């Protein structure tokens, strides 16, 4: 079957099936009319993630070496809520594929890519101001924040010291800007798995130790 991504964003269940985009409503097994049927997209287009901002829903996808982030604007009136068709808000450099999206505090969209991690500022209009690659130590499939720190996976490129690479995380300090750039942040290698553990960190979850 077609690749499927399902996320609960802005109090609604959104899904992509193949190249098509849906808001899942009702209780029956039949898919509703798509917001975007995907028929005009290049053959092989793959959606990779869905996230949200204050005024929009964001989707990432790619085909070959072309990758974009698209926005579904949410319009609210006194009687209804309308979702617009996806429109491109960011085009990635050729060869850099967006793999994951993670929104934080309504201000940042963390973009995991095949080249590492970028952080975008979500403007009041819902557009994105894209920052440089912050972590360049491996493809980023997942991210989660705790306080001012952001933890991202880097598959098998975690830094275990002495030039040893294993599955692990990098930590980004959102409270410390570097290089005179508001979207470039201090970062460092964080946890790695034991040497006997399987390689390939692709998901991260922060839990309380209290």
């Amino acid at each position: 079957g077609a690749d499927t991504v399902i996320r609960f964003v802005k109090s609604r269940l959104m899904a992509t099936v193949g190249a098509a985009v849906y808001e899942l409503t009702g209780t029956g097994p039949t898919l509703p009319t798509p917001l975007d049927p995907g028929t005009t997209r290049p053959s092989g287009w793959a959606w990779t993630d869905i996230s949200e901002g204050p005024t929009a829903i964001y989707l990432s996808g790619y085909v070959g070496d072309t990758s974009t982030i698209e926005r579904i604007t949410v319009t609210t009136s006194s009687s209804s809520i309308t979702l617009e068709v996806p429109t491109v808000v960011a085009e990635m450099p050729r060869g850099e594929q967006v793999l994951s999206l993670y929104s934080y505090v309504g201000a940042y969209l963390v973009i995991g890519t095949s080249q590492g991690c970028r952080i975008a500022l979500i403007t009041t209009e819902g557009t994105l101001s894209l920052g440089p690659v912050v972590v360049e130590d491996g493809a980023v499939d997942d991210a989660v924040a705790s306080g001012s720190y952001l933890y991202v996976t880097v598959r098998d490129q975690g830094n275990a010291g002495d030039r040893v690479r294993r599955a692990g995380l990098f930590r980004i300090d959102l409270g410390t800007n570097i290089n005179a750039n508001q979207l470039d942040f201090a970062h460092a290698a964080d946890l790695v798995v034991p040497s006997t553990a399987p390689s390939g960190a692709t998901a991260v979850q922060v839990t309380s130790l209290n």
Side-chain angles (χ1 to χ4, degrees):
D3 290 338
T4 302
V5 177
I6 301 176
R7 299 286 186 269
F8 187 71
V9 291
K10 299 197 77 66
S11 301
R12 51 188 32 88
L13 196 59
M14 303 296 297
T16 63
V17 181
V21 180
Y22 298 88
E23 179 188 5
L24 299 182
T25 57
T27 58
T30 304
L31 286 171
T33 301
L35 289 172
D36 179 355
T39 53
T40 62
R41 296 187 180 277
S43 175
W45 181 265
W47 294 108
T48 57
D49 210 352
I50 307 170
S51 190
E52 66 180 29
T55 62
I57 295 169
Y58 298 93
L59 303 94
S60 58
Y62 70 90
V63 61
D65 60 1
T66 299
S67 186
T68 62
I69 299 172
E70 304 194 18
R71 175 185 65 182
I72 298 174
T73 302
V74 181
T75 303
T76 303
S77 69
S78 59
S79 59
S80 66
I81 297 176
T82 303
L83 302 182
E84 306 296 336
V85 299
T87 57
V88 175
V89 290
E91 295 185 6
M92 306 305 294
R94 186 168 294 276
E96 185 176 0
Q97 302 162 336
V98 181
L99 306 176
S100 62
L101 299 174
Y102 175 77
S103 61
Y104 188 51
V105 298
Y108 297 117
L109 189 66
V110 182
I111 303 166
T113 82
S114 56
Q115 303 299 318
C117 179
R118 295 176 183 266
I119 298 173
L121 183 68
I122 304 173
T123 70
T124 55
E125 296 80 19
T127 58
L128 300 178
S129 178
L130 208 64
V133 177
V134 176
V135 173
E136 300 180 79
D137 288 70
V140 172
D141 299 285
D142 196 18
V144 68
S146 179
S148 64
Y149 291 110
L150 178 71
Y151 300 85
V152 300
T153 61
V154 287
R155 296 188 182 178
D156 61 354
Q157 294 300 304
N159 189 343
D162 196 25
R163 294 180 290 183
V164 174
R165 296 282 178 165
R166 294 203 295 266
L169 308 175
F170 266 66
R171 176 168 51 172
I172 300 170
D173 184 357
L174 296 177
T176 305
N177 294 106
I178 60 175
N179 300 322
N181 188 325
Q182 66 170 337
L183 293 174
D184 200 359
F185 300 92
H187 60 280
D190 201 72
L191 299 175
V192 294
V193 301
S195 59
T196 56
S199 63
T202 57
V204 57
Q205 180 177 358
V206 173
T207 58
S208 173
L209 299 179
N210 297 327

